[in-house]
Amino acid sequence: MELNGEPVAFSGLVGSRVRDQSGHVLGRLFEVRAHRERDGAVVFDELMVGRRALWQRLRGPDPGARGIPWQSVIEIAGDEIVVAR
């Protein structure tokens, strides 16, 4: 998903409810994994959602933790992120 229109600050996404397109709530967003491209652009890779992501945020990075791929994001609306599952 490419964010077009109004800019969205990462800090504004933290704490957002994440649900799938069927309405099933997956948890709250606590972290986003990203990487920097050679041109300096930051690219989001994964959404880290739920209790496990909160625990990771408190304890530190867990390379083995898995998140929801950024490509799964369908919509960001208000304080909710909708993903394909």
Side-chain angles (χ1 to χ4, degrees), residues 17-58:
R17 184 172 61 176
V18 179
R19 68 171 177 86
D20 66 18
Q21 65 223 59
S22 301
H24 181 254
V25 176
L26 305 174
R28 297 261 174 202
L29 176 69
F30 288 104
E31 289 286 346
V32 174
R33 285 191 174 165
H35 71 274
R36 187 175 301 273
E37 295 284 317
R38 287 183 184 212
D39 65 359
V42 175
V43 178
F44 286 176
D45 296 317
E46 293 181 302
L47 304 175
M48 306 307 287
V49 176
R51 288 185 211 163
R52 191 168 190 178
L54 174 59
W55 183 246
Q56 176 182 328
R57 183 173 182 152
L58 296 173

Side-chain angles (χ1 to χ4, degrees), residues 3-4 6-7 10-11 45 49 60 66 68-69 80 85:
L3 294 176
N4 295 322
E6 293 296 314
F10 167 69
S11 60
D45 296 317
V49 176
R66 296 177 58 173
I68 299 169
E80 188 170 79
R85 292 288 282 184

Side-chain angles (χ1 to χ4, degrees), residues 59-72:
R59 289 192 67 205
D62 176 3
R66 296 177 58 173
I68 299 169
W70 178 254
Q71 294 83 359
S72 297

